[in-house]
Amino acid sequence: MTWLRQRGAGRGDLVGLAVAPDGTTAVAAAGGDGRMTSLGEVAMADDEIRPRWVTWSQETAQWLVAGGARVATCWDVAAVHRLVFGGWRADPGWAWAHLHGLAPDGVPTEAPEAGPPDLFSEPDEARAGADDDPVGADGYLRAGWARGGWAAAPARILRWAQLALETAELQRAALGRLSETPIPVATARSESTAELLCAELSSDGLPLDLAAAERVLTGIIGPRPRDEVHAAAMRAARDAEVLRHAPGGMTVDLRSPVQVRSLLAAAGIDVPDTRAWRLEQFRESSPLIAALLEWRKAERIATTYGYAWLDEHLDGDGRLRGSWTGSDGAAGRMTASSGLHNMPAAMRQAVIAAPGHALVRADLGQIEPRVLAAVTGDPALAAATAADDLYLPVASQLGVDRPTAKVAMISAMYGQTTGHGGQALRRMRAAYPVAMAYLDTADRSARARRELRTYGGRRIPMSGGPGDSPAQVAARGRYGRNALIQGAAAELFKMWAVTVRARGLPLGARIVLCLHDELLVHGPAGQAEAMARLVGECLTETARRWSPDGRVRFTADISIVRSWADAKLE
DNA sequence: TGCGGCTATTG
DNA sequence: CACAATAGCCGCAG
C-alpha cells in the first residue's frame, strides 16, 4: 500500500485498523490521516511494510483471519487495557474513559428507558448525520458508536480506525509512566499479538483424529451408543457395576454427592466429602469404593469428553475448535473453551499430525521458580537456574532432599500454610532472601487490598472480592503472591509463543495449542527438525528480551512427535 | 431458569 | 490438596 508508505509508515509503526463485519476496512496513519481500503491491501501492506496494526480487540483479528488477511503484529487496545488497568472489561468506551481519567461509572450505556429496539426506535447508527462525532460533549465515547454504530458507514469506520490509533498512543504513554516495571511496552506488544494468535487458534483448531478419539472412548466407556435408549442402558449398566457392591441392595443416584455419602456411610465408611483423593485410601479395602472411583472416571469421560463432545467441537476437517482468550483470570493466562485446556491425558493420543505433517511439542521446564528468580533477581536462586533440574541445587542449598525442596518452593509461591514445610520454608528465607521478600511483600499488599503489578506491568486489582475474615485475608495473600508468579510466567510464555508464531511462518509452522507452559506446533514433516530447533531458539531469544541480564536460564523440553501423547522421538 | 456446591480434568 | 482455569450435574431458590 503505497499510500501508507507515503505517510511515512514503516516497520513497527502504529497504524489504526478497523474492519466492519461486512469486510469494509479502513486504516489510519499517524497525524490523523486515513483512508478506506480492503483486507487484501492490508495483507499486502503487512508484507511490504509490516506496521503494527492497532485493533480495538480480538474481534478485529477474527475478521482479519476470516478474510484471509493474517497480519504479523498488532496493538490490541483491549489487551493493553487489561494489562494497564486490570479487570476483564475492555470495550472501547471503557478503555477510553480510563485513559482520559473519566469516571468508569459514567461510561454511557444505551438509554435503559429506550427498551429493546423496535420499529420506532431507530438505532443510533441510522440517525448518523448532524452529530457524527464518536466523542460526546462529556468526553466519553458515545454508546451507539462503541456498540457497533462505528460500522454503519465508511466515514465512521475510518474515524474508528483513527480513534483506535489515538487510543493506542495514549496507552503507550500510560505504559511509559509505569516506571517501576521493566518491560511494559514489550509486554503490551506480545500481549497484543497473542490476541492475533488466539484468533488463529480459534479458527485453525487442534488436529484431532476422529477414529483415534473414538477408539479411546470405546476403551473407556464402550462404543458409541446407537440411540438414546442404548445410551441410557449403557449408563444404567455402568451404575449397576457400582451398586452391586452396595450394602443391602441399596440404590442411590451416583451423580448426587449427598446420596453417595449416605451410601458410603451405610457401608461403614464415614467421610466428610466424597472427593477421589479422600476415597483413594479405601480403594484396596472396599470393592464399593474401587468400583465407585472407576465409575467416576468413566462418567467424567462420558459426560464431558465423550461422543457428544466430539460431535460438538470436532469439525469435519479433523480440527477441534474452541474460543481462545489471550489474558483471562487473575493473572492473565490464556484460556480456551471446548475442553482444550483440560482434555484428559488419554485423549492426547488422538491429537495427531495431519498426513505429511509433524507436531513439535515443547514444555518450559520448572517455569515458575525460574520466573521467580528472574523477576526478583535473587542471586542465589538465579544461580540455581543453571541446572537442568533446578530443585537439585535448591535441595542442596537448603540441606533437604529434592521432594522437600520442591514442596518448600511451591509452598512459598502458592502460600501453602498447612503441612510440614515449616523448617524448609525457614531455610528458604535464609537461602533466597530477595525472592522471599518479594513474595512476602506481594502477600502483605494483597492482604491489605493494595493493587499489585506483575513484572510485565499487568495490574492485579485487589479491591472488592471476599471479606475480611482471617481465612479470607489469608486467601487474598495467597492469591496475590501467586498472581505475580503465574502472571509473569504467562507473560513470558506469550512472548515465546508469539515469537514462535512469527519465526515459524516461513517454515509453514503453526501453533495449534498453547497450554500455559507448553506449545504444540504443527507443520510440514520435512520441516520438523527445523521447527524443533526454531522453538528452542525462540526461547533463547525471548529469554534475552524478557530478562535481559541473562542470569536466569530457561529450559524447554522439545520433541518431534506424531501424536501429542507420544514419547520423545528425538 | 439461574446459581452455588461438588466433582473432575488440566497446567 | 496450596495457585489458576473449564465444565457437567445436582439441589434449591425464585
Side-chain angles (χ1 to χ4, degrees):
Chain A
M1 195 191 293
T2 50
W3 177 85
L4 258 184
R5 221 183 258 296
Q6 285 160 7
R7 296 302 176 284
R11 186 180 174 87
D13 289 344
L14 295 182
V15 172
L17 174 65
V19 182
D22 68 358
T24 309
T25 303
V27 295
D33 205 2
R35 69 175 267 178
M36 303 307 295
T37 180
S38 66
L39 288 182
E41 278 199 276
V42 167
M44 277 196 295
D46 194 63
D47 277 344
E48 292 167 16
I49 304 172
R50 220 219 70 174
R52 185 171 293 276
W53 304 101
V54 179
T55 55
W56 280 108
S57 71
Q58 193 195 124
E59 200 186 346
T60 308
Q62 288 164 355
W63 291 119
L64 287 170
V65 169
R70 299 194 179 201
V71 298
T73 65
C74 77
W75 183 285
D76 184 294
V77 171
V80 178
H81 175 82
R82 293 191 179 109
L83 182 69
V84 178
F85 294 98
W88 173 248
R89 187 172 170 185
D91 53 275
W94 188 256
W96 178 271
H98 280 79
L99 286 166
H100 289 83
L102 300 166
D105 300 348
V107 174
T109 54
E110 223 53 33
E113 61 270 23
D118 57 37
L119 289 173
F120 306 100
S121 66
E122 296 270 306
D124 181 65
E125 52 268 34
R127 285 190 260 110
D131 187 17
D132 212 19
D133 191 332
V135 183
D138 54 7
Y140 288 97
L141 281 192
R142 292 188 199 277
W145 272 77
R147 277 183 63 262
W150 61 270
R156 283 190 164 206
I157 299 169
L158 188 57
R159 184 78 187 95
W160 201 235
Q162 291 167 333
L163 212 58
L165 177 59
E166 290 169 31
T167 307
E169 281 164 350
L170 289 171
Q171 287 184 322
R172 195 166 49 182
L175 286 161
R177 290 191 292 273
L178 297 182
S179 52
E180 72 276 20
T181 59
I183 50 167
V185 175
T187 304
R189 291 180 181 140
S190 55
E191 294 288 314
S192 291
T193 303
E195 300 291 339
L196 293 178
L197 174 58
C198 284
E200 292 167 2
L201 286 165
S202 304
S203 171
D204 295 343
L206 175 70
L208 187 93
D209 185 84
L210 175 61
E214 293 200 321
R215 278 196 297 278
V216 170
L217 290 181
T218 300
I220 300 171
I221 57 172
R224 183 185 274 271
R226 291 183 300 274
D227 50 41
E228 282 306 310
V229 177
H230 187 206
M234 288 172 63
R235 211 163 77 134
R238 280 204 303 271
D239 292 6
E241 195 56 40
V242 178
L243 291 173
R244 74 191 181 89
H245 298 287
M250 195 176 174
T251 297
V252 302
D253 182 354
L254 296 172
R255 292 156 193 84
S256 164
V258 177
Q259 292 184 44
V260 168
R261 195 171 163 233
S262 59
L263 169 70
L264 297 184
I269 297 167
D270 191 28
V271 282
D273 62 63
T274 72
R275 290 182 172 89
W277 66 267
R278 211 185 279 285
L279 301 184
E280 199 58 50
Q281 58 182 311
F282 303 104
R283 186 195 277 273
E284 294 304 317
S285 57
S286 163
L288 172 63
I289 296 276
L292 176 65
L293 289 170
E294 290 310 303
W295 178 92
R296 283 257 177 89
K297 229 173 173 55
E299 180 73 3
R300 166 65 38 182
I301 300 284
T303 56
T304 308
Y305 304 102
Y307 297 101
W309 174 70
L310 289 178
D311 294 344
E312 192 174 347
H313 303 294
L314 180 59
D315 295 322
D317 60 354
R319 295 294 179 119
L320 184 74
R321 288 186 174 81
S323 53
W324 287 76
T325 65
S327 71
D328 200 2
R333 273 184 169 186
M334 295 173 79
T335 56
S337 66
S338 303
L340 282 160
H341 274 176
N342 47 358
M343 182 187 307
M347 192 55 73
R348 292 182 179 199
Q349 59 191 281
V351 176
I352 297 172
H357 288 68
L359 289 167
V360 170
R361 177 190 172 174
D363 289 88
L364 297 176
Q366 303 166 336
I367 186 59
E368 292 190 340
R370 290 174 197 271
V371 160
L372 176 63
V375 304
T376 62
D378 187 289
L381 192 54
T385 65
D388 284 345
D389 181 357
L390 163 147
Y391 292 119
L392 291 177
V394 169
S396 74
Q397 278 168 328
L398 298 185
V400 298
D401 61 11
R402 186 187 179 280
T404 305
K406 183 173 176 179
V407 167
M409 181 67 71
I410 290 172
S411 300
M413 292 188 297
Y414 293 176
Q416 181 181 331
T417 49
T418 59
H420 44 278
Q423 191 200 11
L425 214 52
R426 279 195 297 278
R427 293 185 182 184
M428 285 273 296
R429 231 169 265 289
Y432 310 117
V434 183
M436 294 300 282
Y438 179 84
L439 293 168
D440 288 339
T441 301
D443 194 297
R444 248 193 327 275
S445 298
R447 284 168 181 257
R449 296 186 188 278
R450 284 195 298 272
E451 71 176 43
L452 303 170
R453 225 173 253 284
T454 64
Y455 176 77
R458 179 175 304 282
R459 178 173 180 255
I460 314 288
M462 293 301 313
S463 56
D468 287 305
S469 75
Q472 287 166 329
V473 169
R476 206 155 57 230
R478 293 194 299 272
Y479 171 98
R481 68 165 69 208
N482 178 251
L484 294 193
I485 301 305
Q486 194 184 99
E491 288 153 13
L492 170 67
F493 175 82
K494 278 180 260 187
M495 199 174 281
W496 181 42
V498 300
T499 306
V500 170
R501 172 184 178 272
R503 306 276 181 269
L505 209 56
L507 299 177
R510 288 279 171 84
I511 296 175
V512 290
L513 192 75
C514 294
L515 195 45
H516 310 314
D517 64 353
E518 179 171 2
L519 278 179
L520 213 50
V521 185
H522 187 252
Q527 300 287 1
E529 300 284 338
M531 292 195 300
R533 209 177 318 119
L534 179 130
V535 167
E537 289 163 1
C538 286
L539 178 59
T540 305
E541 178 185 344
T542 301
R544 203 163 46 229
R545 182 177 312 158
W546 195 74
S547 182
D549 69 30
R551 286 184 303 140
V552 171
R553 179 165 167 257
F554 291 95
T555 65
D557 188 5
I558 302 168
S559 52
I560 299 164
V561 293
R562 175 175 167 270
S563 141
W564 189 14
D566 286 350
K568 289 132 196 68
L569 300 180
E570 267 180 315

